[in-house]
Amino acid sequence: MRDQISRVFDLAVFLLAFALVASVSLARAETADEAALAEFYGNAEMVSIATGTAQPLRESPAIATVITAADIAAIGATELNEVLETVPGLHVGVSGVGYKPIFSIRGIHTQSNPQVLVLVNGIPVKNVFDGSLGTSWGRMPVTGIARIEVIRGPGSALYGADAFSGVINIITKSATDVHGLEVGARGGSYDRNDQYLQWGGELGKFDAYFFLERSRSDGPRERIDADAQTTLDGLFAPFPPVSLAPGPTELNRDNTEARADVSLGYWRLRGGFQELNDIGVGAGVAQALDPVGRGDGRRLSADLSYDNPRFADNLGLTGTLSYYNVENLARLQLSPPGAFGPLFPGGFPNGVLGNPDVYERHYRGEMSGLYTGISGHRLRLGGGYRKEDMYKVEESRNYMLVPSPLGPVPFPLGGLVDVTDVEAFVREEARTVAYAFAQDEWNFLPDWTLTTGVRVDDYSDFGTAVNPRLALVWQTSYSLTTKMLYGRAFRAPSFGELYNVNNPANLGNSSLDPETIDTWELGLDWNAGRGLRAAVNLFYYKMDDIIRFATDPAPSTSVTAQNTGRQTGYGLEAELAWQASRRLRLAGNYAYQKSTDESADADVGFAPSHLAYVRADWMFDPQWSVSSQATGVFDRKRPPGDDRSKIDDYVAVDLTLRGQKLFGDNWGMRLSARNLFNADVREPSASGLIPNDLPMAGRNLFLELSKAFR
């Protein structure tokens, strides 16, 4: 407790000193270049994710957050995870496998994170195999992002499956955001080495934008003190231990991302390619350190859209066709050399090896119309069709699982064997989904708007899901907006949960129903004037038919996906932003949540009960600015059955110095320190097999230089 108080005190002193220095500067000069101010602070007032059309953020029928490119640059973020940590009530954790991100919203936290729908330009990018973003996601660079819109709460009435606890829509840049050529490079801690270029302009009659970034790093090699093999070594004593712990996590990365955006009139064509090579597997897929395992991935996407707001009198028409191909490949050492030696002497001289590969294709088509011919109403009707095809599964391994008193253990096969056609871990499957939706925004009184909506999704593998929404927005006064919201959402079973086979650890169940959630929210948004804005919202939710892998009734010992258990949660999220002067802006948010596993009558664990975030942006010169932010994560409990003590709290502080339009308006510079005070940041491991949790990066720095050619 004393250490925690000391960290909070250090943080308070740091931020107070920051504000005092800024105030002294403001007394010296209060005038700044208007263009520089606009570029520094950006404009987050409009949001489209809540209804499908742009509207003022405070009037939108959802609890939403908008983050602009200016925000992203100011806080020194270079990847998506760093940006999302600024959203109230959203905590970015990691899984032990490759440190893949877990976007925990309002206490809903699972290892593959299928309950949050991630979109890129409105197109889902999640894997159907396990509902996660997959190995090929990596850590999305943010240089090519124009804005990010986030809904906290259900979104299935508009977006369908997996818009469960929240929706994240990443909107990439276009020719309207970039004019001419810009190149940049950054380097820093962990042998970081990044380069990027982007260009926006006219190509004949077309508006065009192109982006390319290459990112490489050895990653933070933080120490794991004990792992799953440490526990096995204890069981097999006095045989010599073979665990590689204590040892470092493997988080090296080599990412390439390319995007293109070409438009003409009402038509727009986008394409994207992402490739990851030799990606480290974090703390190990089987929670045993794996210094040789690597993941590779590729994603290819394309979408063609038509958006004509004046297609006919009082009618706007939009349509999208999209294609998404994803490959997730892995070369894994599940256990170290010599593992299970007491059972099979000399059986695994190179360790227990497994190479699972999954290939997916997604096809989508959607069309909707917005009709405004009825006074006071904005009626949107639409529908679509998609196919999710896990068209190829390949697997080779040097073991087969056999029963034992310890549970299933690997039996050596003498070398790698291709088991694709005989014992692959999951079946190749495909599903189709047809859906239709309707939404009406009814302004029935000058200060009242009622938004109602419903969406029906018909799945080929488990049937139909119906999800309504209801939102009443009241302009209570000129400065105060009140929102009363209800929504229902669902999460579709993943193919792993439905079709896992030849895997005694996790067997699929083709009879699963989708998870469901009902959420009620009350939000207040207050524009107090003089640059001060405050917002607070309360929420309550109820989850049913939760999908978990659970042990079958005796005498079976198989672990099978089942609809089991309920979860309820409630809490609040508060935000405050103050434009203290033309050059100084202060902002912060706080979130509290309490989530209960109703079966165990206990906290569900993993997610923080308290989240706090503060930020100060100070433009001390038209060309120079400094931003500081701090994130506090508190009171993370263990899930039922895990007797370890609570996960340690932490406060992490970042500081970024930014120069714009330097040396004849062509150069830019960013110097950023992440985790400035070297806090011991840890994310919870899934079980006690890594008893001291997953260590995150300590203090690290980077320097970025960019040049524009206009």
Side-chain angles (χ1 to χ4, degrees):
M1 176 64 72
R2 182 174 299 174
D3 290 343
Q4 182 60 44
I5 294 173
S6 176
R7 288 198 296 269
V8 174
F9 178 77
D10 290 344
L11 170 63
V13 171
F14 174 79
L15 293 174
L16 178 61
F18 185 95
L20 288 174
V21 172
S23 300
V24 171
S25 173
L26 291 169
R28 174 175 55 85
E30 186 60 29
T31 303
D33 179 76
E34 294 292 341
L37 283 169
E39 184 175 349
F40 180 56
Y41 290 122
N43 179 16
E45 293 303 313
M46 303 298 288
V47 62
S48 60
I49 192 174
T51 62
T53 54
Q55 61 190 143
L57 177 63
R58 65 194 305 258
E59 299 175 12
S60 66
I63 306 301
T65 299
V66 177
I67 305 164
T68 66
D71 290 319
I72 293 170
I75 64 175
T78 60
E79 61 182 52
L80 179 67
N81 298 350
E82 296 169 340
V83 180
L84 294 178
E85 276 282 14
T86 69
V87 176
L90 193 163
H91 174 60
V92 181
V94 298
S95 69
V97 182
Y99 275 36
K100 292 189 295 186
I102 298 173
F103 303 137
S104 177
I105 299 178
R106 296 177 171 177
I108 298 174
H109 178 114
T110 54
Q111 290 299 303
S112 57
N113 201 208
Q115 291 87 359
V116 178
L117 182 63
V118 179
L119 313 169
V120 176
N121 299 315
I123 309 297
V125 292
K126 300 189 74 175
N127 291 354
V128 72
F129 166 57
D130 64 358
S132 76
L133 293 170
T135 305
S136 62
W137 178 256
R139 288 163 169 77
M140 183 177 183
V142 297
T143 310
I145 294 176
R147 59 197 281 119
I148 301 169
E149 300 181 352
V150 181
I151 286 178
R152 304 187 301 282
S156 286
L158 197 58
Y159 296 102
D162 307 334
F164 192 87
S165 64
V167 183
I168 300 167
N169 189 25
I170 302 157
I171 302 168
T172 57
K173 289 179 179 177
S174 67
T176 60
D177 303 298
V178 178
H179 306 284
L181 176 66
E182 180 183 332
V183 298
R186 68 180 71 93
S189 302
Y190 314 129
D191 200 22
R192 182 175 191 166
N193 181 11
D194 306 342
Q195 305 86 33
Y196 67 86
L197 64 85
Q198 55 184 346
W199 178 88
E202 295 182 357
L203 286 178
K205 296 181 179 181
F206 296 92
D207 293 324
Y209 169 77
F210 301 99
F211 168 74
L212 177 65
E213 179 161 343
R214 175 81 180 275
S215 305
R216 287 174 287 184
S217 171
D218 290 342
R221 295 175 60 81
E222 300 295 330
R223 176 187 174 98
I224 297 284
D225 296 319
D227 63 1
Q229 186 62 45
T230 305
T231 301
L232 283 176
D233 289 345
L235 294 175
F236 291 146
F239 288 92
V242 298
S243 172
L244 301 177
T249 56
E250 296 293 332
L251 292 171
N252 49 294
R253 59 177 173 82
D254 185 347
N255 298 16
T256 300
E257 178 143 350
R259 295 195 177 273
D261 185 317
V262 180
S263 61
L264 175 64
Y266 302 126
W267 293 92
R268 189 172 195 174
L269 177 65
R270 293 187 179 105
F273 174 75
Q274 295 77 42
E275 183 174 50
L276 289 83
N277 295 305
D278 295 325
I279 305 302
V281 295
V285 171
Q287 300 191 73
L289 288 176
D290 179 0
V292 299
R294 292 294 181 266
D296 298 308
R298 284 175 291 278
R299 292 184 290 138
L300 178 65
S301 60
D303 63 90
L304 176 66
S305 62
Y306 175 83
D307 185 2
N308 185 352
R310 294 175 294 276
F311 181 78
D313 289 343
N314 301 313
L315 179 64
L317 187 67
T318 63
T320 304
L321 294 173
S322 68
Y323 171 76
Y324 180 56
N325 185 291
V326 58
E327 302 174 5
N328 292 301
L329 317 176
R331 303 292 177 265
L332 307 173
Q333 184 184 86
L334 305 175
S335 299
F340 302 98
L343 300 179
F344 311 111
F348 293 108
N350 299 315
V352 179
L353 307 178
N355 303 330
D357 299 335
V358 178
Y359 300 76
E360 298 181 18
R361 285 188 292 245
H362 300 244
Y363 309 88
R364 294 179 176 86
E366 180 177 301
M367 181 170 289
S368 67
L370 179 64
Y371 182 67
T372 56
I374 304 174
S375 178
H377 290 264
R378 292 167 57 86
L379 180 62
R380 181 181 292 276
L381 300 173
Y385 179 86
R386 73 175 187 268
K387 181 177 181 180
E388 300 171 336
D389 184 9
M390 193 166 70
Y391 66 94
K392 184 164 67 172
V393 174
E394 297 179 332
E395 183 182 10
S396 61
R397 58 178 188 247
N398 68 349
Y399 68 94
M400 62 180 294
L401 288 171
V402 297
S404 82
L406 301 175
V409 297
F411 178 83
L413 298 178
L416 282 173
V417 176
D418 188 338
V419 297
T420 300
D421 296 328
V422 289
E423 284 194 335
F425 60 99
V426 66
R427 299 203 310 260
E428 296 173 2
E429 293 285 346
R431 70 162 48 130
T432 59
V433 186
Y435 60 90
F437 57 87
Q439 175 183 272
D440 181 38
E441 300 170 72
W442 179 26
N443 186 206
F444 62 93
L445 287 173
D447 298 322
W448 293 81
T449 301
L450 177 65
T451 301
T452 56
V454 64
R455 173 164 161 154
V456 180
D457 291 79
D458 184 49
Y459 278 71
S460 61
D461 49 2
F462 65 79
T464 301
V466 180
N467 293 274
R469 71 181 296 199
L470 185 67
L472 184 61
V473 178
W474 175 28
Q475 300 298 322
T476 316
S477 69
Y478 179 78
S479 59
L480 179 65
T481 302
T482 303
K483 303 179 182 183
M484 291 160 279
L485 314 173
Y486 163 75
R488 182 177 175 86
F490 76 106
R491 198 270 285 185
S494 70
F495 280 12
E497 292 165 332
L498 290 168
Y499 307 121
N500 265 6
V501 291
N502 301 316
N503 183 353
N506 290 312
L507 291 176
N509 177 3
S510 60
S511 299
L512 290 175
D513 293 323
E515 293 182 351
T516 61
I517 186 171
D518 292 273
T519 303
W520 294 262
E521 300 170 275
L522 172 65
L524 300 173
D525 194 309
W526 180 43
N527 186 351
R530 298 183 180 273
L532 180 63
R533 174 185 174 267
V536 63
N537 65 281
L538 308 174
F539 64 86
Y540 172 81
Y541 69 80
K542 181 176 66 174
M543 293 171 57
D544 285 301
D545 289 326
I546 298 172
I547 301 173
R548 297 171 175 156
F549 285 97
T551 303
D552 293 336
S556 172
T557 59
S558 297
V559 178
T560 305
Q562 301 175 25
N563 291 110
T564 177
R566 295 177 54 205
Q567 179 174 321
T568 58
Y570 62 86
L572 66 86
E573 296 146 357
E575 304 173 67
L576 186 66
W578 181 34
Q579 191 71 50
S581 74
R582 290 160 52 90
R583 293 188 176 203
L584 177 64
R585 181 170 67 180
L586 305 174
N589 60 67
Y590 164 77
Y592 166 77
Q593 66 82 24
K594 171 66 174 176
S595 298
T596 302
D597 182 329
E598 295 294 331
S599 300
D601 192 24
D603 194 284
V604 299
F606 291 117
S609 297
H610 303 272
L611 272 175
Y613 174 80
V614 291
R615 172 181 164 190
D617 301 317
W618 171 35
M619 177 174 279
F620 59 88
D621 181 90
Q623 292 181 309
W624 291 93
S625 59
V626 61
S627 295
S628 175
Q629 62 176 4
T631 302
V633 177
F634 308 101
D635 194 18
R636 291 175 292 175
K637 299 178 177 63
R638 302 291 182 183
D642 189 335
D643 295 330
R644 290 178 291 168
S645 59
K646 293 193 303 183
I647 303 103
D648 288 343
D649 301 336
Y650 69 84
V651 175
V653 177
D654 306 326
L655 185 65
T656 299
L657 174 67
R658 184 183 176 207
Q660 303 176 84
K661 298 182 178 180
L662 307 175
F663 312 116
D665 287 351
N666 292 325
W667 287 86
M669 185 276 288
R670 279 196 302 173
L671 177 63
S672 187
R674 319 296 296 180
N675 194 2
L676 180 65
F677 298 135
N678 202 32
D680 183 12
V681 178
R682 291 177 183 265
E683 290 300 320
S685 57
S687 70
L689 295 179
I690 299 181
N692 296 324
D693 295 309
L694 306 173
M696 305 297 289
R699 182 190 299 114
N700 62 98
L701 306 103
F702 75 82
L703 173 66
E704 177 182 310
L705 296 175
S706 62
K707 183 175 182 180
F709 300 87
R710 296 185 175 91

